[in-house]
Amino acid sequence: EPEVTQTPSHQVTQMGQEVILRCVPISNHLYFYWYRQILGQKVEFLVSFYNNEISEKSEIFDDQFSVERPDGSNFTLKIRSTKLEDSAMYFCASNRTSGESEQFFGPGTRLTVL
Amino acid sequence: GENVEQHPSTLSVQEGDSAVIKCTYSDSASNYFPWYKQELGKGPQLIIDIRSNVGEKKDQRIAVTLNKTAKHFSLHITETQPEDSAVYFCAASRDDKIIFGKGTRLHILP
């Protein structure tokens, strides 16, 4: 069964450093998302992406964040200058159609900012 | 924006008994309500979903109900089993953005 994959599974970085989190969505999916989950809290929407453009973003997704689909398979989240409060699990998700349809989540990348 | 409230935060039930998790939402334009199960160290997995034109949906031991007027929806798990132990999230969605509740940690007691 096709699945969303994410790398790395765990990323440790120093405050102020840039990180890139990578995702490979399911191959025939067209809509891509990033969510984050701070330890013990709920999953929060960050951004949705379709047709090489951001469709919607939350207030969390400020100028330090960016997303890119550099080739036909990868979908990346870049955090330009990490802060301690960026420590969280970051989940990538994808679906084939927008709106009322299942989003398939990856296993997540645990980001630890020291 | 949408706000989803979920109760209880923790629920312990005896194996074989039923578990009920309740959620409310604020945005009457939300039209898709998925429920996700999250096991330790994994991403959320969809277990059932319901659309706004349906009041109830069942899939084996899992059922979901939706009351659009009251903006309530709930998850029912019958004949609970040890493998049902996990964190369950309700969510509401309009267009592409999923807004999650805070989650319910379900413990199935032997």
Side-chain angles (χ1 to χ4, degrees), chain A residues 31 33 35 37 40-45 48 55-57 89 91 97-108, chain B residues 3-4 31-32 36 38 41-46 49 51-53 89 93-103:
Chain A
Y31 297 81
Y33 311 86
Y35 292 82
Q37 185 179 30
Q41 298 187 24
K42 65 179 175 180
V43 179
E44 300 174 289
F45 170 82
S48 60
S55 310
E56 190 167 359
K57 59 184 181 180
M89 281 290 284
F91 294 105
T97 60
S98 69
E100 307 166 6
S101 67
E102 177 181 359
Q103 291 184 17
F104 292 80
F105 282 75
Chain B
N3 182 47
V4 177
N31 52 18
Y32 175 63
Y36 284 86
Q38 187 178 29
K42 296 185 179 179
Q45 300 290 311
L46 183 79
D49 55 16
R51 288 161 176 78
S52 58
N53 58 347
F89 291 97
S93 175
R94 183 180 64 155
D95 301 323
D96 295 331
K97 184 166 71 172
I98 294 180
I99 304 299
F100 286 82
K102 288 190 175 179

Short mmCIF file of all heavy atoms in Angstrom, two decimals, chain A residues 31 33 35 37 40-45 48 55-57 89 91 97-108, chain B residues 3-4 31-32 36 38 41-46 49 51-53 89 93-103:
data_model
loop_
_atom_site.label_atom_id
_atom_site.label_comp_id
_atom_site.label_asym_id
_atom_site.label_seq_id
_atom_site.Cartn_x
_atom_site.Cartn_y
_atom_site.Cartn_z
N TYR A 31 -2.17 17.29 -3.66
CA TYR A 31 -2.28 18.29 -2.60
C TYR A 31 -1.38 17.87 -1.44
O TYR A 31 -1.41 16.71 -1.03
CB TYR A 31 -3.73 18.41 -2.14
CG TYR A 31 -4.66 18.89 -3.23
CD1 TYR A 31 -5.16 18.00 -4.18
CD2 TYR A 31 -5.00 20.24 -3.33
CE1 TYR A 31 -5.97 18.44 -5.21
CE2 TYR A 31 -5.83 20.68 -4.35
CZ TYR A 31 -6.31 19.78 -5.28
OH TYR A 31 -7.12 20.22 -6.30
N TYR A 33 0.62 18.93 2.43
CA TYR A 33 0.40 19.68 3.65
C TYR A 33 1.55 19.44 4.63
O TYR A 33 2.18 18.38 4.62
CB TYR A 33 -0.90 19.21 4.35
CG TYR A 33 -2.09 19.12 3.43
CD1 TYR A 33 -2.32 17.98 2.67
CD2 TYR A 33 -2.97 20.19 3.30
CE1 TYR A 33 -3.41 17.89 1.81
CE2 TYR A 33 -4.06 20.11 2.44
CZ TYR A 33 -4.27 18.96 1.71
OH TYR A 33 -5.34 18.88 0.85
N TYR A 35 1.98 19.77 8.90
CA TYR A 35 1.39 20.00 10.21
C TYR A 35 2.51 19.86 11.24
O TYR A 35 3.52 19.22 10.98
CB TYR A 35 0.32 18.95 10.53
CG TYR A 35 -0.92 19.02 9.67
CD1 TYR A 35 -0.96 18.44 8.40
CD2 TYR A 35 -2.07 19.65 10.14
CE1 TYR A 35 -2.10 18.50 7.63
CE2 TYR A 35 -3.23 19.70 9.36
CZ TYR A 35 -3.22 19.12 8.11
OH TYR A 35 -4.37 19.19 7.35
N GLN A 37 3.17 19.07 15.63
CA GLN A 37 2.58 18.65 16.91
C GLN A 37 3.63 18.84 17.99
O GLN A 37 4.60 18.08 18.06
CB GLN A 37 2.13 17.19 16.84
CG GLN A 37 1.40 16.72 18.08
CD GLN A 37 0.95 15.27 17.96
OE1 GLN A 37 1.58 14.46 17.29
NE2 GLN A 37 -0.16 14.94 18.59
N GLY A 40 2.77 16.41 23.34
CA GLY A 40 1.60 16.35 24.22
C GLY A 40 0.46 17.24 23.81
O GLY A 40 -0.57 17.29 24.50
N GLN A 41 0.60 17.94 22.68
CA GLN A 41 -0.46 18.85 22.25
C GLN A 41 -1.10 18.37 20.95
O GLN A 41 -0.77 17.31 20.43
CB GLN A 41 0.12 20.26 22.10
CG GLN A 41 0.66 20.81 23.41
CD GLN A 41 1.07 22.26 23.31
OE1 GLN A 41 0.57 23.00 22.45
NE2 GLN A 41 1.95 22.69 24.17
N LYS A 42 -2.04 19.15 20.46
CA LYS A 42 -2.76 18.71 19.26
C LYS A 42 -1.95 18.98 18.00
O LYS A 42 -0.98 19.73 17.99
CB LYS A 42 -4.12 19.39 19.17
CG LYS A 42 -4.06 20.89 19.00
CD LYS A 42 -5.47 21.44 18.89
CE LYS A 42 -5.47 22.95 18.84
NZ LYS A 42 -6.86 23.47 18.74
N VAL A 43 -2.38 18.33 16.95
CA VAL A 43 -1.77 18.53 15.64
C VAL A 43 -2.27 19.86 15.07
O VAL A 43 -3.48 20.11 15.05
CB VAL A 43 -2.14 17.36 14.70
CG1 VAL A 43 -1.55 17.56 13.32
CG2 VAL A 43 -1.69 16.03 15.31
N GLU A 44 -1.34 20.70 14.60
CA GLU A 44 -1.70 22.04 14.10
C GLU A 44 -1.35 22.18 12.63
O GLU A 44 -0.24 21.83 12.21
CB GLU A 44 -0.93 23.10 14.88
CG GLU A 44 -1.19 23.13 16.37
CD GLU A 44 -0.27 24.12 17.06
OE1 GLU A 44 0.96 23.85 17.14
OE2 GLU A 44 -0.76 25.17 17.49
N PHE A 45 -2.26 22.72 11.87
CA PHE A 45 -2.05 22.96 10.44
C PHE A 45 -1.01 24.06 10.25
O PHE A 45 -1.04 25.09 10.93
CB PHE A 45 -3.38 23.38 9.81
CG PHE A 45 -3.28 23.90 8.41
CD1 PHE A 45 -3.21 23.02 7.34
CD2 PHE A 45 -3.26 25.26 8.16
CE1 PHE A 45 -3.13 23.51 6.04
CE2 PHE A 45 -3.18 25.75 6.87
CZ PHE A 45 -3.12 24.87 5.81
N SER A 48 -0.82 24.43 3.27
CA SER A 48 -1.24 23.53 2.19
C SER A 48 -0.64 24.03 0.88
O SER A 48 -0.40 25.24 0.71
CB SER A 48 -2.76 23.44 2.10
OG SER A 48 -3.32 24.72 1.86
N SER A 55 -1.53 27.19 -0.98
CA SER A 55 -2.97 27.43 -1.05
C SER A 55 -3.46 28.19 0.18
O SER A 55 -4.29 29.08 0.08
CB SER A 55 -3.73 26.11 -1.14
OG SER A 55 -3.21 25.28 -2.12
N GLU A 56 -2.97 27.75 1.31
CA GLU A 56 -3.38 28.37 2.57
C GLU A 56 -2.26 28.17 3.59
O GLU A 56 -1.54 27.18 3.53
CB GLU A 56 -4.68 27.74 3.08
CG GLU A 56 -5.29 28.47 4.24
CD GLU A 56 -6.72 28.04 4.54
OE1 GLU A 56 -7.26 27.17 3.82
OE2 GLU A 56 -7.29 28.59 5.49
N LYS A 57 -2.13 29.10 4.50
CA LYS A 57 -1.15 28.94 5.58
C LYS A 57 -1.74 29.48 6.87
O LYS A 57 -2.60 30.36 6.85
CB LYS A 57 0.17 29.63 5.24
CG LYS A 57 0.04 31.11 4.98
CD LYS A 57 1.38 31.69 4.56
CE LYS A 57 1.25 33.19 4.32
NZ LYS A 57 2.54 33.81 3.92
N MET A 89 7.06 17.58 16.56
CA MET A 89 6.95 16.59 15.47
C MET A 89 6.35 17.32 14.28
O MET A 89 5.35 18.05 14.44
CB MET A 89 6.04 15.45 15.86
CG MET A 89 6.66 14.40 16.74
SD MET A 89 7.90 13.41 15.91
CE MET A 89 6.86 12.34 14.93
N PHE A 91 4.62 16.73 10.64
CA PHE A 91 4.00 15.72 9.80
C PHE A 91 3.71 16.29 8.42
O PHE A 91 3.17 17.39 8.29
CB PHE A 91 2.68 15.23 10.41
CG PHE A 91 2.83 14.48 11.69
CD1 PHE A 91 2.51 15.06 12.90
CD2 PHE A 91 3.28 13.17 11.69
CE1 PHE A 91 2.64 14.38 14.09
CE2 PHE A 91 3.42 12.46 12.88
CZ PHE A 91 3.10 13.07 14.09
N THR A 97 -7.32 14.57 -3.96
CA THR A 97 -8.24 15.66 -4.27
C THR A 97 -8.35 16.56 -3.06
O THR A 97 -8.06 16.15 -1.94
CB THR A 97 -9.64 15.13 -4.63
OG1 THR A 97 -10.15 14.39 -3.51
CG2 THR A 97 -9.58 14.21 -5.83
N SER A 98 -8.77 17.76 -3.27
CA SER A 98 -8.89 18.68 -2.14
C SER A 98 -10.24 18.50 -1.49
O SER A 98 -11.07 17.71 -1.94
CB SER A 98 -8.72 20.12 -2.62
OG SER A 98 -9.83 20.49 -3.43
N GLY A 99 -10.45 19.25 -0.42
CA GLY A 99 -11.75 19.25 0.22
C GLY A 99 -12.01 18.01 1.04
O GLY A 99 -11.15 17.54 1.78
N GLU A 100 -13.17 17.43 0.87
CA GLU A 100 -13.63 16.37 1.75
C GLU A 100 -13.01 15.02 1.41
O GLU A 100 -13.67 14.10 0.93
CB GLU A 100 -15.14 16.26 1.66
CG GLU A 100 -15.87 17.57 1.89
CD GLU A 100 -17.33 17.48 1.46
OE1 GLU A 100 -17.78 16.38 1.11
OE2 GLU A 100 -17.99 18.51 1.48
N SER A 101 -11.75 14.90 1.65
CA SER A 101 -11.13 13.61 1.37
C SER A 101 -10.00 13.36 2.35
O SER A 101 -9.44 14.29 2.94
CB SER A 101 -10.61 13.56 -0.06
OG SER A 101 -9.54 14.45 -0.23
N GLU A 102 -9.68 12.09 2.51
CA GLU A 102 -8.69 11.68 3.49
C GLU A 102 -7.32 12.24 3.15
O GLU A 102 -6.86 12.14 2.02
CB GLU A 102 -8.60 10.17 3.55
CG GLU A 102 -7.53 9.65 4.50
CD GLU A 102 -7.44 8.14 4.52
OE1 GLU A 102 -8.21 7.48 3.79
OE2 GLU A 102 -6.59 7.63 5.26
N GLN A 103 -6.70 12.83 4.14
CA GLN A 103 -5.29 13.20 4.03
C GLN A 103 -4.48 12.06 4.65
O GLN A 103 -4.76 11.62 5.76
CB GLN A 103 -5.01 14.52 4.75
CG GLN A 103 -5.64 15.71 4.06
CD GLN A 103 -5.30 17.03 4.71
OE1 GLN A 103 -4.34 17.14 5.49
NE2 GLN A 103 -6.07 18.06 4.41
N PHE A 104 -3.47 11.62 3.92
CA PHE A 104 -2.62 10.54 4.39
C PHE A 104 -1.37 11.16 5.03
O PHE A 104 -0.67 11.95 4.39
CB PHE A 104 -2.22 9.64 3.22
CG PHE A 104 -3.35 8.85 2.65
CD1 PHE A 104 -4.24 9.43 1.76
CD2 PHE A 104 -3.55 7.54 3.02
CE1 PHE A 104 -5.30 8.72 1.23
CE2 PHE A 104 -4.60 6.80 2.49
CZ PHE A 104 -5.48 7.38 1.60
N PHE A 105 -1.13 10.79 6.27
CA PHE A 105 -0.03 11.37 7.01
C PHE A 105 1.21 10.49 6.98
O PHE A 105 1.11 9.26 7.02
CB PHE A 105 -0.44 11.58 8.47
CG PHE A 105 -1.31 12.79 8.68
CD1 PHE A 105 -2.64 12.78 8.31
CD2 PHE A 105 -0.80 13.94 9.26
CE1 PHE A 105 -3.45 13.89 8.49
CE2 PHE A 105 -1.59 15.07 9.45
CZ PHE A 105 -2.92 15.04 9.07
N GLY A 106 2.36 11.14 6.96
CA GLY A 106 3.62 10.43 7.11
C GLY A 106 3.91 10.15 8.58
O GLY A 106 3.16 10.59 9.45
N PRO A 107 5.01 9.45 8.86
CA PRO A 107 5.33 9.08 10.24
C PRO A 107 5.90 10.23 11.06
O PRO A 107 6.03 10.11 12.28
CB PRO A 107 6.38 7.98 10.07
CG PRO A 107 7.02 8.29 8.76
CD PRO A 107 5.95 8.87 7.91
N GLY A 108 6.26 11.32 10.41
CA GLY A 108 6.74 12.49 11.13
C GLY A 108 8.25 12.58 11.25
O GLY A 108 8.97 11.58 11.16
N ASN B 3 -12.61 26.24 15.53
CA ASN B 3 -12.09 25.77 16.80
C ASN B 3 -12.79 24.45 17.12
O ASN B 3 -14.02 24.36 17.06
CB ASN B 3 -12.37 26.80 17.90
CG ASN B 3 -11.81 26.36 19.24
OD1 ASN B 3 -10.66 25.94 19.31
ND2 ASN B 3 -12.59 26.43 20.28
N VAL B 4 -12.02 23.45 17.44
CA VAL B 4 -12.56 22.13 17.75
C VAL B 4 -12.23 21.78 19.19
O VAL B 4 -11.06 21.82 19.59
CB VAL B 4 -11.98 21.05 16.80
CG1 VAL B 4 -12.50 19.67 17.16
CG2 VAL B 4 -12.32 21.39 15.35
N ASN B 31 -17.35 21.05 6.62
CA ASN B 31 -18.20 20.07 5.96
C ASN B 31 -17.61 18.66 5.93
O ASN B 31 -18.17 17.75 5.33
CB ASN B 31 -18.53 20.53 4.54
CG ASN B 31 -17.27 20.90 3.77
OD1 ASN B 31 -16.16 20.52 4.14
ND2 ASN B 31 -17.44 21.63 2.68
N TYR B 32 -16.48 18.49 6.59
CA TYR B 32 -15.83 17.17 6.58
C TYR B 32 -15.23 16.96 7.95
O TYR B 32 -14.53 17.82 8.49
CB TYR B 32 -14.76 17.14 5.49
CG TYR B 32 -13.92 15.89 5.43
CD1 TYR B 32 -14.50 14.66 5.17
CD2 TYR B 32 -12.55 15.95 5.63
CE1 TYR B 32 -13.72 13.51 5.11
CE2 TYR B 32 -11.77 14.81 5.58
CZ TYR B 32 -12.36 13.60 5.32
OH TYR B 32 -11.59 12.46 5.25
N TYR B 36 -8.95 10.57 13.61
CA TYR B 36 -7.64 9.97 13.44
C TYR B 36 -7.22 9.25 14.71
O TYR B 36 -7.51 9.68 15.82
CB TYR B 36 -6.58 11.03 13.10
CG TYR B 36 -6.65 11.53 11.67
CD1 TYR B 36 -7.51 12.57 11.31
CD2 TYR B 36 -5.85 10.97 10.69
CE1 TYR B 36 -7.56 13.02 9.99
CE2 TYR B 36 -5.90 11.42 9.37
CZ TYR B 36 -6.76 12.44 9.04
OH TYR B 36 -6.81 12.89 7.74
N GLN B 38 -3.79 7.88 16.64
CA GLN B 38 -2.34 8.04 16.64
C GLN B 38 -1.73 7.12 17.67
O GLN B 38 -1.99 7.25 18.86
CB GLN B 38 -1.94 9.50 16.92
CG GLN B 38 -0.44 9.75 16.76
CD GLN B 38 -0.07 11.19 16.99
OE1 GLN B 38 -0.70 11.91 17.74
NE2 GLN B 38 1.02 11.63 16.34
N GLY B 41 4.69 7.18 18.44
CA GLY B 41 5.77 7.26 17.46
C GLY B 41 5.32 7.24 16.02
O GLY B 41 6.15 7.18 15.11
N LYS B 42 4.00 7.32 15.79
CA LYS B 42 3.50 7.27 14.41
C LYS B 42 2.68 8.51 14.09
O LYS B 42 2.27 9.27 14.96
CB LYS B 42 2.63 6.02 14.22
CG LYS B 42 3.40 4.72 14.40
CD LYS B 42 2.50 3.54 14.08
CE LYS B 42 3.25 2.23 14.22
NZ LYS B 42 2.39 1.06 13.94
N GLY B 43 2.44 8.69 12.80
CA GLY B 43 1.58 9.78 12.37
C GLY B 43 0.12 9.41 12.53
O GLY B 43 -0.23 8.24 12.71
N PRO B 44 -0.77 10.40 12.50
CA PRO B 44 -2.21 10.12 12.61
C PRO B 44 -2.68 9.26 11.44
O PRO B 44 -2.28 9.46 10.30
CB PRO B 44 -2.84 11.52 12.55
CG PRO B 44 -1.74 12.47 12.88
CD PRO B 44 -0.48 11.84 12.39
N GLN B 45 -3.54 8.30 11.75
CA GLN B 45 -4.12 7.43 10.73
C GLN B 45 -5.63 7.61 10.75
O GLN B 45 -6.25 7.49 11.81
CB GLN B 45 -3.76 5.98 11.01
CG GLN B 45 -2.26 5.71 11.01
CD GLN B 45 -1.64 5.81 9.65
OE1 GLN B 45 -2.12 5.25 8.69
NE2 GLN B 45 -0.55 6.57 9.55
N LEU B 46 -6.21 7.83 9.60
CA LEU B 46 -7.67 7.99 9.52
C LEU B 46 -8.36 6.68 9.87
O LEU B 46 -7.99 5.62 9.37
CB LEU B 46 -8.07 8.40 8.10
CG LEU B 46 -9.56 8.65 7.91
CD1 LEU B 46 -9.92 10.03 8.45
CD2 LEU B 46 -9.97 8.53 6.45
N ASP B 49 -14.50 8.75 8.74
CA ASP B 49 -14.82 10.15 8.50
C ASP B 49 -16.29 10.28 8.15
O ASP B 49 -16.96 9.31 7.82
CB ASP B 49 -13.94 10.75 7.38
CG ASP B 49 -14.01 9.96 6.07
OD1 ASP B 49 -14.94 9.15 5.88
OD2 ASP B 49 -13.11 10.15 5.22
N ARG B 51 -19.21 13.16 6.34
CA ARG B 51 -19.42 14.41 5.64
C ARG B 51 -20.70 15.07 6.11
O ARG B 51 -21.56 14.43 6.69
CB ARG B 51 -19.41 14.17 4.13
CG ARG B 51 -18.01 13.87 3.63
CD ARG B 51 -17.96 13.18 2.29
NE ARG B 51 -16.59 13.01 1.83
CZ ARG B 51 -15.76 12.07 2.28
NH1 ARG B 51 -16.17 11.20 3.17
NH2 ARG B 51 -14.52 11.99 1.82
N SER B 52 -20.82 16.34 5.83
CA SER B 52 -21.88 17.12 6.48
C SER B 52 -23.27 16.75 6.00
O SER B 52 -24.25 17.13 6.64
CB SER B 52 -21.64 18.62 6.25
OG SER B 52 -21.59 18.90 4.86
N ASN B 53 -23.39 16.01 4.93
CA ASN B 53 -24.71 15.63 4.44
C ASN B 53 -25.17 14.27 5.01
O ASN B 53 -26.18 13.73 4.58
CB ASN B 53 -24.72 15.59 2.92
CG ASN B 53 -23.68 14.63 2.36
OD1 ASN B 53 -22.79 14.16 3.08
ND2 ASN B 53 -23.79 14.34 1.07
N PHE B 89 -7.97 11.66 17.71
CA PHE B 89 -8.21 13.07 17.42
C PHE B 89 -9.45 13.21 16.56
O PHE B 89 -9.56 12.54 15.52
CB PHE B 89 -7.04 13.69 16.65
CG PHE B 89 -5.78 13.82 17.45
CD1 PHE B 89 -4.79 12.86 17.36
CD2 PHE B 89 -5.58 14.92 18.28
CE1 PHE B 89 -3.60 12.99 18.09
CE2 PHE B 89 -4.40 15.05 19.01
CZ PHE B 89 -3.42 14.08 18.92
N SER B 93 -13.00 20.12 8.97
CA SER B 93 -12.29 20.63 7.80
C SER B 93 -13.25 21.35 6.86
O SER B 93 -14.39 20.94 6.67
CB SER B 93 -11.62 19.47 7.06
OG SER B 93 -11.02 19.91 5.86
N ARG B 94 -12.76 22.45 6.34
CA ARG B 94 -13.43 23.12 5.22
C ARG B 94 -12.35 23.35 4.18
O ARG B 94 -11.28 23.86 4.51
CB ARG B 94 -14.03 24.44 5.69
CG ARG B 94 -14.79 25.18 4.61
CD ARG B 94 -15.35 26.45 5.13
NE ARG B 94 -14.30 27.37 5.53
CZ ARG B 94 -14.44 28.69 5.58
NH1 ARG B 94 -15.59 29.22 5.26
NH2 ARG B 94 -13.46 29.46 5.97
N ASP B 95 -12.59 22.98 2.97
CA ASP B 95 -11.55 23.03 1.94
C ASP B 95 -10.41 22.10 2.36
O ASP B 95 -10.64 20.95 2.65
CB ASP B 95 -11.08 24.47 1.71
CG ASP B 95 -12.23 25.36 1.27
OD1 ASP B 95 -13.09 24.88 0.51
OD2 ASP B 95 -12.27 26.51 1.72
N ASP B 96 -9.19 22.59 2.45
CA ASP B 96 -8.05 21.70 2.66
C ASP B 96 -7.54 21.66 4.08
O ASP B 96 -6.79 20.76 4.44
CB ASP B 96 -6.89 22.14 1.77
CG ASP B 96 -7.22 21.97 0.31
OD1 ASP B 96 -8.02 21.08 0.00
OD2 ASP B 96 -6.69 22.74 -0.51
N LYS B 97 -7.90 22.63 4.89
CA LYS B 97 -7.26 22.74 6.19
C LYS B 97 -7.99 21.90 7.21
O LYS B 97 -9.19 22.06 7.41
CB LYS B 97 -7.25 24.21 6.61
CG LYS B 97 -6.54 24.49 7.90
CD LYS B 97 -6.28 25.97 8.08
CE LYS B 97 -7.53 26.76 8.37
NZ LYS B 97 -7.21 28.16 8.72
N ILE B 98 -7.27 21.00 7.87
CA ILE B 98 -7.87 20.19 8.94
C ILE B 98 -7.53 20.84 10.27
O ILE B 98 -6.37 21.11 10.56
CB ILE B 98 -7.33 18.75 8.89
CG1 ILE B 98 -7.79 18.04 7.63
CG2 ILE B 98 -7.81 17.98 10.12
CD1 ILE B 98 -7.29 16.62 7.52
N ILE B 99 -8.54 21.09 11.08
CA ILE B 99 -8.34 21.61 12.42
C ILE B 99 -8.63 20.48 13.40
O ILE B 99 -9.73 19.93 13.41
CB ILE B 99 -9.26 22.81 12.71
CG1 ILE B 99 -9.04 23.91 11.67
CG2 ILE B 99 -9.02 23.33 14.13
CD1 ILE B 99 -7.64 24.47 11.62
N PHE B 100 -7.63 20.15 14.20
CA PHE B 100 -7.73 19.02 15.10
C PHE B 100 -8.20 19.43 16.49
O PHE B 100 -7.92 20.55 16.94
CB PHE B 100 -6.36 18.35 15.25
CG PHE B 100 -5.93 17.54 14.06
CD1 PHE B 100 -5.36 18.15 12.95
CD2 PHE B 100 -6.08 16.16 14.05
CE1 PHE B 100 -4.94 17.41 11.85
CE2 PHE B 100 -5.67 15.42 12.95
CZ PHE B 100 -5.11 16.04 11.85
N GLY B 101 -8.87 18.52 17.17
CA GLY B 101 -9.09 18.65 18.59
C GLY B 101 -7.81 18.30 19.34
O GLY B 101 -6.82 17.90 18.74
N LYS B 102 -7.86 18.42 20.66
CA LYS B 102 -6.66 18.21 21.47
C LYS B 102 -6.35 16.75 21.72
O LYS B 102 -5.29 16.44 22.24
CB LYS B 102 -6.80 18.95 22.80
CG LYS B 102 -6.68 20.46 22.66
CD LYS B 102 -6.59 21.14 24.01
CE LYS B 102 -6.34 22.64 23.80
NZ LYS B 102 -6.27 23.37 25.09
N GLY B 103 -7.26 15.88 21.36
CA GLY B 103 -6.97 14.46 21.48
C GLY B 103 -7.53 13.83 22.75
O GLY B 103 -7.70 14.50 23.78
#
